[in-house]
């Protein structure tokens, strides 16, 4: 666990190469092996070395699936993210919805809602994406503030979905909120 946490710190600092070197020290028999593979795939994505991503993400999925009933919520979220990166959206969707029902920490809920939004946006299911995006925006605004980068990013993505659905009135309403984030949020909880 300490190696994984240190590697995640390296990733957050933009030192993906150091993280990869560290993660490669984790033995195949270690319970953290699947996590190591997953984070290596994330490092290669961050480095834009796309040719290395599939082998690690697919191996991570394989390792997670070997002990699917014993995965922590973080590992389940990692597996769902791995499914997203391999375009297995239905599997990711089921897993993320299940985690959302169990999750109590707001930061976890925001991350899960973000991923559910992304899956639906990628698949051009804009109404469904909006549903998750609105929930994410409420939580993000409460946790980080209405004018935070996190909230503004969610808002921009919601505007996009509304324009894609030709819901210009809603999009313009959100655009006004984007321009002046101190106006009251227009969503119900």
């Amino acid at each position: 666990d300490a190696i994984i946490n240190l590697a995640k710190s390296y990733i957050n600092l933009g030192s993906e190469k150091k993280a990869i070197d560290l993660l490669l020290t984790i033995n195949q028999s270690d319970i953290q092996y699947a996590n190591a593979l997953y984070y290596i795939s994330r490092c290669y994505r961050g480095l834009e070395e796309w040719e290395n991503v599939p082998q690690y993400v697919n191996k991570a999925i394989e390792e997670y699936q070997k002990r699917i009933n014993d995965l922590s919520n973080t590992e389940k979220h990692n597996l769902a993210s791995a499914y997203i990166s391999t375009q297995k959206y239905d599997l990711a969707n089921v897993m993320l919805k299940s985690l959302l029902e169990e999750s109590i920490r707001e930061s976890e809920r925001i991350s899960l809602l973000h991923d559910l939004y992304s899956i639906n946006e990628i698949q051009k299911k804009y109404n469904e994406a909006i549903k998750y995006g609105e929930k994410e925006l409420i939580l993000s605004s409460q946790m980080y503030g209405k004018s935070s980068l996190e909230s503004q990013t969610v808002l921009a993505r919601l505007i996009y979905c509304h324009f894609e659905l030709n819901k210009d009135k809603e999009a313009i309403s959100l655009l006004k909120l984007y321009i002046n984030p101190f106006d009251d949020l227009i969503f119900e909880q």
Side-chain angles (χ1 to χ4, degrees):
D1 226 15
I3 293 175
I4 295 292
N5 288 334
L6 182 56
K8 285 166 53 175
S9 295
Y10 281 141
I11 293 167
N12 291 336
L13 293 169
S15 299
E16 285 91 349
K17 294 270 190 210
K18 279 185 179 180
I20 291 169
D21 291 342
L22 187 61
L23 291 165
L24 287 171
T25 67
I26 294 180
N27 191 302
Q28 196 168 351
S29 62
D30 192 308
I31 194 153
Q32 292 296 327
Y33 185 62
N35 289 326
L37 295 167
Y38 169 73
Y39 288 115
I40 290 170
S41 76
R42 279 192 44 195
C43 288
Y44 281 124
R45 266 201 311 269
L47 292 166
E48 296 184 7
E49 293 181 19
W50 306 110
E51 67 281 2
N52 294 317
V53 174
Q55 71 188 36
Y56 286 99
V57 80
N58 287 323
K59 185 72 175 152
I61 289 171
E62 186 182 310
E63 291 297 319
Y64 281 132
Q65 287 175 337
K66 284 180 186 175
R67 49 187 198 85
I68 191 79
N69 295 323
D70 299 322
L71 297 179
S72 69
N73 283 356
T74 299
E75 289 172 318
K76 288 177 186 174
H77 196 170
N78 289 350
L79 176 56
S81 296
Y83 284 149
I84 293 169
S85 68
T86 57
Q87 300 178 1
K88 295 176 179 153
Y89 302 123
D90 292 340
L91 290 171
N93 201 24
V94 168
M95 187 159 283
L96 291 167
K97 283 181 180 178
S98 169
L99 285 168
L100 191 59
E101 289 175 18
E102 298 172 24
S103 181
I104 42 174
R105 288 195 5 239
E106 282 194 353
S107 59
E108 285 175 6
R109 294 182 65 73
I110 289 170
S111 180
L112 293 166
L113 289 165
H114 177 83
D115 287 350
L116 283 162
Y117 171 93
S118 296
I119 290 170
N120 286 288
E121 182 190 44
I122 289 166
Q123 296 179 90
K124 299 186 184 321
K125 296 178 183 175
Y126 298 116
N127 284 316
E128 198 70 7
I130 288 169
K131 181 177 87 174
Y132 293 114
E134 287 176 348
K135 290 176 183 176
E136 181 187 359
L137 181 59
I138 291 167
L139 289 177
S140 182
S141 295
Q142 289 170 347
M143 188 161 182
Y144 305 114
K146 294 176 186 175
S147 61
S148 67
L149 178 61
E150 291 84 357
S151 298
Q152 293 295 290
T153 302
V154 178
L155 199 50
R157 294 174 83 189
L158 283 170
I159 293 166
Y160 167 78
C161 284
H162 282 291
F163 274 128
E164 285 296 313
L165 289 169
N166 294 315
K167 293 183 174 182
D168 295 345
K169 183 180 172 189
E170 291 88 343
I172 290 168
S173 174
L174 290 173
L175 193 53
K176 288 177 185 173
L177 187 59
Y178 185 80
I179 293 167
N180 188 3
F182 297 103
D183 286 350
D184 287 334
L185 281 176
I186 57 174
F187 303 117
E188 302 291 318
Q189 277 199 8

